Amino acid sequence: MPKKASRIESTKRRKSEKDSSWTEKIFNHKSYVTFLTGCYSCHWKFRQWEKTKLGSCCHSRTEQVFFVLLVLSFVLSVILLFMWIELSNEYFDLDWAIFLGTGIWVFGSIIFLSILGTLTAYTSLLVVSNTSHVMIVLVILLYICFMFVLFQFWNDMWLTFGLSLKIFAPYIHLCSITVMVFLSWPLTYYVARLEREVRVRRYRMTYYEKERLKRCNIFTRLRALQLAAGLPFLLILVCLYLMPLGIYSPCIQKKEDLGPKPVFFAHRGAPMHGPENTMMAFEKAVEFGAYGLETDVHLSIDRVPFHMHDFDLRRTTNIEEVLPEAALQHPALFNWTFLSTLNAGRWFIDPWRKPFFNMKPLSEADKNRARNQSIPKLDDLLELAKKANKFVIFDLYGPPAKHPLNYSFVKHVTKVILDSKIEPHLIYWLSTHDRKYVRETAPGFQLVGRLYTIKELKKENISTINVDYKNLFYRGFRDYKAANININLYLVNEPWLFSLAWCSRIDSVTTDNIPLLSQLDSPHFFMVSCLPRVFFQAWYRRNLCSGFTHYATVLTSHFLI
């Protein structure tokens, strides 16, 4: 009986050990690490984990090179992802450029954002798991090609990214300093540990070990590790100390010096709430409290001014359904009878053709209203502006060479505006053609200039300029403000860019996103001017120096052991 009981106990013990080993394999964290390693590097074989000795390396030369490339790809991923997020103000222009080249409306900007986000997550996990893969080389090549294309075809993108740093640089700097302070503790411990290892090994070294040391100097490796760990940290820390000398942000100022909030010109109406350049979009803009209405004007072959931005009718009308063979024809070569029959709103409610990815869903009433929109005449907009007492600013496109108004389109449009009986001061005249005639015939119009010199503006008696925000901020605007020149910026859709304009005392902006920007009660990322003098000084004298001092003090104390 006892033998049988012991046999049963041994059987249970073997079964328990078997179950225990099976459980350990399933729930061991190393199994999950191996699984993640396999997913990202295709190495599915279980690896024995061993503690690496100081001064030695468990990786081959190839793995070391791949790790450097991995870190490089991770840094490029983060930079490009941040840069692309800051370029959200330009997404529509990129999508429109893709449409002009392919004839297909697609959110290319969002696709690029998704790709960069995926690659950043991929490289981040590789860095965390310390795993190399041949795909890293392809990722770096992809980034190089991507940046080359941006340099070749979209140079303005770099200007927008540079402007974003005027807003975010102080915050990036503070976050970087905080990270470096926290990193100083483990880094100091690591460097001190290496130094202690050198001293202990020298003390315990025998004669034979000294002879072998001549062939393979472990001390050189340990010193190299100290240098590789400590020198980059010190260089980065010095750069962060010097960074405030090059940081200028207009949003760092006294609160009482902050100028009034810029007013809004509705770009093609309210294109996020109604089809662009239609009466629905203009009426929505009036409801949102727009200061003025911005639009584009073409003239039909039978001399009727109408609203259209593109140089063909494919994107915003149903011309491809009605007359596909004339889809690429210039809008000014059609007569008004035909243009008035085209539907200019059905495309707007198509989820595959909506102009903005972040548009809010329309109500059923607005969808029905959008479906019935047509191309409006200039007279329709002038009537709305007259009733609502809104300013009107518009780009007047010259007609093609064969058009009957090729040389007299300015005179004709001026006559149409004067016949509408709108208050002349409500018209912001942008066109540079035949300005002498406009000044003599309609002296009440407000002539608007571009980025001319102060001398040229005074000579033309121009008190308002309409400029691209990228060109203005880089060429400077202080001379214009000193000369009491009103500045209107286009195209401003993002809160950070509107905040930059607000802090810079810009008078007005042209925007697609009035509902969002009108909700801002103060600029985003606004910092009072006492921060540069008080907060930064206190930070550098105490917190920042504490990180550096702590690193240097502890390191020195360990060297003297």
Side-chain angles (χ1 to χ4, degrees):
M1 191 70 180
K3 291 183 179 180
K4 186 175 181 181
S6 62
R7 195 181 306 117
I8 294 174
E9 289 178 1
S10 62
T11 304
K12 288 183 178 180
R13 192 181 302 110
R14 285 196 300 270
K15 186 176 181 181
S16 175
E17 291 176 356
K18 183 178 180 180
D19 293 342
S20 176
S21 61
W22 178 83
T23 305
E24 288 179 357
K25 288 182 179 180
I26 295 299
F27 293 99
N28 194 334
H29 73 280
K30 295 179 182 179
S31 301
Y32 293 102
V33 174
T34 304
F35 173 74
L36 291 175
T37 304
C39 290
Y40 290 99
S41 66
C42 300
H43 297 297
W44 294 98
K45 188 176 179 180
F46 183 80
R47 298 174 61 184
Q48 185 68 31
W49 295 75
E50 297 180 357
K51 185 176 180 180
T52 305
K53 296 180 179 180
L54 283 172
S56 62
C57 184
C58 60
H59 297 290
S60 64
R61 293 286 183 182
T62 303
E63 290 176 327
Q64 294 175 24
V65 171
F66 269 100
F67 181 76
V68 174
L69 294 177
L70 173 60
V71 174
L72 177 62
S73 66
F74 170 72
V75 173
L76 287 176
S77 299
V78 173
I79 292 175
L80 287 177
L81 180 61
F82 174 77
M83 180 179 66
W84 198 258
I85 292 174
E86 296 310 308
L87 291 176
S88 56
N89 194 78
E90 308 295 319
Y91 283 177
F92 177 84
D93 289 341
L94 175 64
D95 298 338
W96 183 57
I98 294 174
F99 173 80
L100 293 179
T102 63
I104 302 173
W105 184 262
V106 60
F107 291 115
S109 55
I110 303 300
I111 294 174
F112 292 147
L113 179 64
S114 303
I115 293 173
L116 289 175
T118 302
L119 292 177
T120 303
Y122 175 75
T123 54
S124 301
L125 289 173
L126 287 180
V127 169
V128 172
S129 62
N130 193 15
T131 306
S132 302
H133 195 278
V134 71
M135 284 293 294
I136 293 301
V137 179
L138 299 179
V139 170
I140 294 178
L141 292 177
L142 178 63
Y143 286 154
I144 293 174
C145 294
F146 181 70
M147 296 180 73
F148 175 78
V149 171
L150 292 180
F151 270 115
Q152 288 292 111
F153 302 104
W154 199 11
N155 280 328
D156 288 351
M157 175 269 302
W158 301 104
L159 300 179
T160 303
F161 177 64
L163 284 178
S164 70
L165 295 180
K166 286 182 174 288
I167 291 289
F168 297 107
Y171 297 91
I172 295 174
H173 178 250
L174 291 176
C175 292
S176 301
I177 287 293
T178 304
V179 171
M180 294 299 288
V181 168
F182 281 110
L183 287 178
S184 65
W185 291 85
L187 182 65
T188 301
Y189 173 77
Y190 179 71
V191 174
R193 184 185 174 203
L194 290 175
E195 179 63 24
R196 181 177 294 177
E197 183 72 16
V198 170
R199 293 182 179 275
V200 169
R201 289 197 180 204
R202 278 181 176 172
Y203 179 76
R204 296 178 178 177
M205 188 175 295
T206 63
Y207 172 78
Y208 297 103
E209 289 176 339
K210 289 181 180 179
E211 290 295 324
R212 189 176 59 184
L213 188 64
K214 296 178 181 179
R215 298 191 301 270
C216 180
N217 197 332
I218 189 65
F219 295 146
T220 303
R221 291 188 179 184
L222 291 172
R223 293 298 188 191
L225 285 175
Q226 285 181 307
L227 188 64
L231 184 60
F233 178 85
L234 292 177
L235 292 177
I236 294 173
L237 197 60
V238 170
C239 292
L240 290 175
Y241 274 116
L242 299 177
M243 187 180 292
L245 300 177
I247 291 178
Y248 167 72
S249 175
C251 285
I252 301 178
Q253 58 178 287
K254 294 180 180 179
K255 197 169 185 179
E256 55 269 21
D257 292 340
L258 182 64
K261 185 177 180 178
V263 295
F264 304 108
F265 279 92
H267 185 237
R268 306 176 200 170
M272 291 188 176
H273 300 269
E276 68 177 57
N277 280 329
T278 62
M279 292 310 298
M280 177 182 176
F282 295 132
E283 290 166 359
K284 286 283 187 181
V286 171
E287 293 175 12
F288 294 141
Y291 176 77
L293 305 172
E294 190 275 344
T295 186
D296 312 276
V297 176
H298 288 278
L299 289 99
S300 66
I301 198 72
D302 52 350
R303 308 186 178 193
V304 176
F306 65 96
H307 302 293
M308 180 63 56
H309 173 265
D310 296 1
F311 289 93
D312 60 61
L313 301 170
R314 292 176 299 162
R315 185 173 65 89
T316 57
T317 70
N318 61 338
I319 184 71
E320 291 181 317
E321 299 174 6
V322 178
L323 197 63
E325 62 273 14
L328 296 175
Q329 190 169 309
H330 195 285
L333 298 179
F334 295 95
N335 60 52
W336 176 247
T337 304
F338 174 75
L339 290 171
S340 62
T341 62
L342 295 176
N343 186 289
R346 200 178 300 142
W347 65 276
F348 185 75
I349 60 176
D350 185 349
W352 296 102
R353 296 184 63 187
K354 64 180 184 178
F356 300 94
F357 183 78
N358 58 341
M359 283 173 49
K360 293 183 178 180
L362 299 177
S363 64
E364 288 300 323
D366 284 340
K367 287 182 180 180
N368 293 331
R369 186 179 175 188
R371 288 190 186 97
N372 298 317
Q373 293 300 303
S374 59
I375 301 175
K377 296 187 294 184
L378 177 59
D379 285 333
D380 301 328
L381 176 61
L382 295 175
E383 186 65 26
L384 174 65
K386 184 169 63 173
K387 289 181 179 179
N389 196 33
K390 299 296 182 182
F391 292 90
V392 176
I393 184 171
F394 59 92
D395 286 307
L396 178 58
Y397 296 109
K402 298 180 180 180
H403 198 280
L405 295 176
N406 186 33
Y407 299 103
S408 58
F409 66 96
V410 171
K411 296 179 181 180
H412 183 73
V413 172
T414 303
K415 182 178 182 303
V416 170
I417 296 174
L418 293 175
D419 290 344
S420 69
K421 304 301 181 182
I422 189 174
E423 292 292 333
H425 74 278
L426 295 178
I427 301 299
Y428 278 65
W429 187 270
L430 270 176
S431 177
T432 57
H433 294 281
D434 211 354
R435 280 203 167 180
K436 184 178 179 181
Y437 172 82
V438 176
R439 186 179 291 107
E440 294 173 353
T441 308
F445 289 1
Q446 299 191 52
L447 299 183
V448 180
R450 301 292 182 177
L451 208 56
Y452 305 144
T453 63
I454 302 296
K455 185 178 179 180
E456 291 173 330
L457 293 174
K458 289 184 176 180
K459 182 180 178 180
E460 295 291 330
N461 195 25
I462 295 174
S463 60
T464 303
I465 58 174
N466 182 61
V467 293
D468 187 342
Y469 70 89
K470 296 183 286 292
N471 297 330
L472 177 71
F473 279 113
Y474 280 97
R475 287 189 56 177
F477 56 88
R478 294 182 180 179
D479 293 339
Y480 295 102
K481 300 301 295 183
N484 293 322
I485 302 296
N486 295 322
I487 301 175
N488 180 67
L489 289 187
Y490 68 89
L491 180 68
V492 177
N493 287 331
E494 292 299 314
W496 72 263
L497 187 54
F498 179 72
S499 299
L500 181 62
W502 190 345
C503 295
S504 302
R505 303 182 71 88
I506 299 300
D507 301 284
S508 60
V509 298
T510 300
T511 179
D512 295 316
N513 206 357
I514 292 180
L516 175 62
L517 301 185
S518 61
Q519 294 175 3
L520 300 184
D521 296 325
S522 62
H524 284 184
F525 312 104
F526 182 74
M527 302 173 73
V528 294
S529 63
C530 63
L531 283 176
R533 297 182 180 178
V534 180
F535 180 73
F536 278 134
Q537 288 180 7
W539 180 268
Y540 278 119
R541 290 176 182 174
R542 298 177 184 179
N543 293 350
L544 299 188
C545 293
S546 68
F548 182 83
T549 305
H550 168 76
Y551 175 78
T553 304
V554 177
L555 183 59
T556 305
S557 65
H558 279 285
F559 282 172
L560 296 176
I561 294 177

